[in-house]
């Protein structure tokens, strides 16, 4: 075979074992016997006959015991057979002969990775970094796998500083910083980054959150004010200022910061929800901020995941503040009239408030819109009983009870209200009949 053609074919075969990589192509062949044996090993490896490939390479090794390429090829064949110790030893021997060939170290790393020997992989990758700085990314992952979080954090910060952040490294960093013992290192890093890059908003934000999580509010405020000075347009500064104003009972200033945050397109929606919840708790006994709370809700009109006005209504409902719960239920229903759950919550709030005129009017309207929903008939009957309009109560309750299916509690309530209606109409016998039905249902329910 022509020597030039053989060298090209040999290089092609070597390249195919590690895609998109360039491998050794200057292979010195001592004689035709060595050449034929080496060529045979490549052919056998190509058809996955690894034992025969290794046998051919053993012949090569006897002829040229210090040929690094022979050991490299043996390592690849052993690795394909999952004979990891033999593979590692072969790659290692290749590096002893020629430590300047990166691919021999890559072979050792592949064995470590396959066998999950991450500690030894760190040793190998540290060597590979001398060839390609990109292997530092592999080193970060290895530090994480071996829980060497202090080393991982230092390397993450180095890479963030030199090549920019990545989502994967930021995920690792968040995992590390869940442990408070690493947070001081990160604080020092962020302080240094702020000095180095005073216009990079992300470093301020990360440091503010770290201080806040550790209840170091004074330090968080200090960084917030520095952020405001350096980047006056920063919406994130207002997040921390809002909390500061609430803690100092500075309601008007808190509202100003809150509105800036809620209007921001940069601040995450989860943080906006948290701010609104904190403001809701702050205003619970401060009616002078009701209009500010209602305005804040408008920022969430397009939020399909969390119905803010409804949730605020529920909050006041749980506090038995019926006026406010009604107000926020109705705000929600202005744009979500089909929300049956909220309609029922609203009717219950009117019941608790004992506003039976409004209760009757609203429940009657809802019967027309949803004629098969028995709850609306029940609230209507209850309202008319309370208004002493017993005939109306009886009629609407008798209609509505026909729609009750598999709801013992609701059926009990219907029978009680029917008993009340007949009592109001002066028919004691029917009154007792319905009360007995309710009593029997309650016993069976237990």
């Amino acid at each position: 075979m022509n020597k030039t053609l053989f060298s090209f074919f040999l290089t092609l075969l070597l390249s195919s074992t590690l895609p998109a990589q360039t491998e050794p192509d200057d292979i010195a062949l001592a004689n035709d016997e060595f050449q034929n044996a080496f060529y045979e090993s490549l052919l056998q490896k190509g058809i996955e006959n690894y034992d025969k490939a290794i046998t051919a390479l053993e012949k090569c090794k006897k002829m040229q015991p210090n040929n690094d390429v022979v050991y490299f090829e043996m390592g690849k064949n052993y690795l394909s057979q999952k004979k990891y110790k033999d593979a590692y030893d072969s790659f290692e021997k290749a590096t002893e002969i020629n430590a300047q060939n990166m691919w021999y170290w890559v072979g050792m790393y592949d064995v470590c990775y396959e066998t999950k020997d991450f500690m030894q992989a760190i040793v190998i990758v540290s060597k590979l970094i001398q060839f390609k700085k990109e292997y530092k990314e592999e080193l970060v992952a290895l530090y994480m796998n071996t829980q060497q979080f202090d080393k991982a954090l230092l390397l993450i910060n180095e890479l963030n500083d030199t090549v920019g952040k990545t989502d994967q490294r930021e995920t690792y960093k968040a995992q590390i910083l869940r442990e408070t013992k690493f947070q001081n290192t990160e604080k020092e890093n962020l302080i240094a980054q702020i000095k180095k890059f005073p216009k990079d908003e992300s470093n301020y934000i990360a440091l503010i959150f770290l201080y806040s999580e550790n209840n170091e509010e004074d330090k968080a405020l200090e960084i917030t004010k520095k952020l405001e000075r350096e980047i006056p347009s920063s919406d994130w500064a207002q997040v921390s200022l809002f909390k500061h104003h609430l803690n100092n009972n500075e309601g008007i200033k808190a509202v100003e910061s809150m509105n800036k945050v809620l209007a921001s397109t940069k601040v995450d929606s989860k943080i906006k929800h948290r701010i609104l919840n904190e403001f809701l708790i702050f205003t619970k006994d401060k009616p002078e901020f009701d209009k500010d709370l209602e305005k804040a809700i408008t920022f969430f009109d397009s939020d399909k995941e969390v119905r803010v006005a409804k949730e605020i209504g529920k909050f006041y409902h749980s506090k038995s503040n019926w006026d406010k719960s009604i107000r926020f239920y109705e705000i929600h229903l202005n744009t979500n009239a089909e929300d049956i759950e909220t309609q029922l919550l609203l009717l219950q709030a009117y019941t608790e408030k004992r506003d039976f005129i409004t209760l009757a009017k609203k429940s009657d309207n809802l019967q027309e819109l949803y004629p098969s929903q028995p709850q609306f008939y029940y609230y209507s009957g209850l309202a008319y009983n309370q208004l002493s309009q017993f005939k109306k109560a009886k009629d609407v309750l008798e209609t509505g009870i026909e729609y009750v299916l598999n709801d013992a509690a609701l059926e009990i309530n219907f029978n009680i209200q029917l008993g009340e209606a007949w009592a109001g109409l002066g028919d004691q016998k029917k009154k007792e009949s319905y009360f007995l039905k309710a009593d029997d249902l309650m016993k069976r329910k237990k």
Side-chain angles (χ1 to χ4, degrees):
M1 175 183 288
N2 179 280
K3 184 175 181 179
T4 303
L5 181 61
F6 175 76
S7 296
F8 171 76
F9 183 59
L10 181 60
T11 301
L12 183 64
L13 286 172
L14 284 168
S15 302
S16 69
T17 63
L18 290 172
Q21 304 291 344
T22 304
E23 292 195 357
D25 59 351
D26 294 327
I27 302 172
L29 303 175
N31 50 48
D32 288 343
E33 188 179 352
F34 178 93
Q35 176 178 307
N36 290 337
F38 194 89
Y39 182 48
E40 177 67 15
S41 76
L42 295 178
L43 288 176
Q44 294 299 333
K45 185 180 72 171
I47 59 175
E48 300 182 3
N49 197 338
Y50 302 117
D51 285 332
K52 288 187 177 180
I54 291 167
T55 299
L57 288 166
E58 288 288 354
K59 291 180 183 177
C60 293
K61 189 168 71 170
K62 286 180 181 178
M63 288 181 276
Q64 295 188 19
N66 290 317
N67 189 317
D68 47 302
V69 177
V70 171
Y71 288 101
F72 179 56
E73 280 297 313
M74 290 183 79
K76 288 195 286 184
N77 279 280
Y78 282 130
L79 183 58
S80 295
Q81 291 180 313
K82 300 188 184 302
K83 294 180 177 179
Y84 296 117
K85 185 179 185 309
D86 291 334
Y88 189 90
D89 290 345
S90 298
F91 290 132
E92 187 175 36
K93 181 64 177 177
T95 65
E96 290 171 1
I97 299 169
N98 180 8
Q100 300 309 309
N101 191 309
M102 183 185 77
W103 298 107
Y104 302 167
W105 297 98
V106 170
M108 293 168 72
Y109 176 59
D110 288 342
V111 174
C112 293
Y113 195 86
E114 287 283 323
T115 58
K116 301 189 185 307
D117 186 353
F118 298 126
M119 293 302 293
Q120 185 60 22
I122 289 172
V123 176
I124 305 303
V125 170
S126 297
K127 192 75 177 178
L128 283 168
I129 288 169
Q130 298 173 24
F131 296 97
K132 287 181 72 175
K133 298 296 183 186
E134 289 81 358
Y135 275 102
K136 286 187 176 182
E137 298 288 353
E138 295 284 335
L139 189 54
V140 171
L142 289 168
Y143 282 145
M144 293 300 295
N145 273 322
T146 55
Q147 298 188 337
Q148 298 183 67
F149 298 134
D150 50 346
K151 293 180 181 179
L153 184 58
L154 288 172
L155 186 53
I156 288 168
N157 287 335
E158 177 195 323
L159 289 169
N160 285 352
D161 195 19
T162 55
V163 299
K165 297 177 180 178
T166 67
D167 289 342
Q168 182 60 71
R169 272 189 263 119
E170 289 302 287
T171 300
Y172 285 150
K173 192 171 188 175
Q175 180 182 337
I176 294 168
L177 294 179
R178 290 192 196 111
E179 297 189 32
T180 54
K181 66 181 179 180
F182 297 112
Q183 292 179 3
N184 284 336
T185 300
E186 179 58 7
K187 289 172 188 174
E188 291 169 6
N189 169 62
L190 290 168
I191 290 168
Q193 290 297 308
I194 287 169
K195 287 180 181 177
K196 191 174 180 180
F197 305 106
K199 301 301 181 184
D200 186 340
E201 188 181 44
S202 64
N203 293 317
Y204 294 94
I205 295 164
L207 187 54
I208 289 166
F209 281 138
L210 270 181
Y211 281 139
S212 297
E213 286 175 4
N214 288 287
N215 297 315
E216 298 176 273
E217 295 299 338
D218 290 342
K219 290 184 178 180
L221 180 61
E222 180 186 337
I223 300 301
T224 300
K225 289 181 176 177
K226 189 169 186 177
L227 171 57
E228 263 198 314
R229 287 195 302 271
E230 292 291 344
I231 313 174
S233 61
S234 172
D235 295 327
W236 284 97
Q238 301 302 323
V239 174
S240 186
L241 285 172
F242 166 79
K243 182 71 173 176
H244 172 72
H245 293 319
L246 279 193
N247 290 341
N248 289 343
N249 203 31
E250 298 170 339
I252 294 173
K253 289 183 179 180
V255 168
E256 290 174 1
S257 292
M258 176 180 69
N259 288 339
K260 288 178 183 177
V261 173
L262 297 182
S264 172
T265 57
K266 297 178 183 177
V267 180
D268 185 84
S269 63
K270 290 181 181 177
I271 293 173
K272 291 182 180 182
H273 282 293
R274 189 191 74 192
I275 282 177
L276 184 64
N277 287 337
E278 290 175 355
F279 187 64
L280 173 61
I281 294 167
F282 174 76
T283 60
K284 181 169 65 73
D285 300 314
K286 298 179 179 67
E288 65 269 26
F289 292 106
D290 283 355
K291 290 190 180 300
D292 296 304
L293 184 59
E294 288 183 28
K295 180 183 176 183
I297 292 170
T298 63
F299 288 105
F300 297 90
D301 283 347
S302 60
D303 191 333
K304 302 302 181 186
E305 292 185 15
V306 179
R307 304 295 190 177
V308 173
K310 176 180 179 178
E311 294 306 313
I312 292 176
K314 286 182 175 181
F315 170 81
Y316 284 122
H317 198 122
S318 69
K319 305 296 180 184
S320 299
N321 189 329
W322 309 118
D323 286 330
K324 284 191 174 181
S325 65
I326 287 168
R327 180 190 307 163
F328 289 105
Y329 288 148
E330 289 185 334
I331 289 172
H332 171 72
L333 289 168
N334 282 338
T335 53
N336 299 276
E338 75 290 348
D339 186 343
I340 301 298
E341 181 192 24
T342 305
Q343 295 284 12
L344 292 171
L345 287 167
L346 177 64
L347 295 180
Q348 184 60 35
Y350 276 119
T351 302
E352 300 288 352
K353 190 184 173 185
R354 303 190 66 78
D355 183 353
F356 297 115
I357 293 174
T358 306
L359 179 64
K361 181 180 178 181
K362 285 192 173 289
S363 55
D364 282 352
N365 289 338
L366 287 165
Q367 287 170 51
E368 294 179 12
L369 293 171
Y370 305 98
S372 62
Q373 287 288 340
Q375 295 95 331
F376 298 142
Y377 294 89
Y378 165 73
Y379 279 109
S380 181
L382 184 153
Y384 285 128
N385 270 336
Q386 293 296 324
L387 294 170
S388 299
Q389 298 182 40
F390 301 114
K391 176 68 166 60
K392 281 187 175 181
K394 176 190 77 70
D395 290 345
V396 75
L397 289 164
E398 285 179 341
T399 302
I401 199 170
E402 297 298 323
Y403 297 109
V404 178
L405 295 171
N406 302 320
D407 189 339
L410 183 59
E411 191 175 354
I412 289 166
N413 287 334
F414 261 98
N415 280 290
I416 290 171
Q417 290 302 317
L418 278 164
E420 296 286 356
W422 282 109
L425 292 169
D427 192 328
Q428 295 299 312
K429 187 175 180 180
K430 286 195 174 179
K431 166 194 163 184
E432 291 300 326
S433 170
Y434 282 107
F435 281 173
L436 284 171
K437 282 184 183 179
D439 188 56
D440 183 53
L441 285 167
M442 281 190 277
K443 288 176 181 176
R444 278 191 279 164
K445 188 180 175 186
K446 291 177 182 178

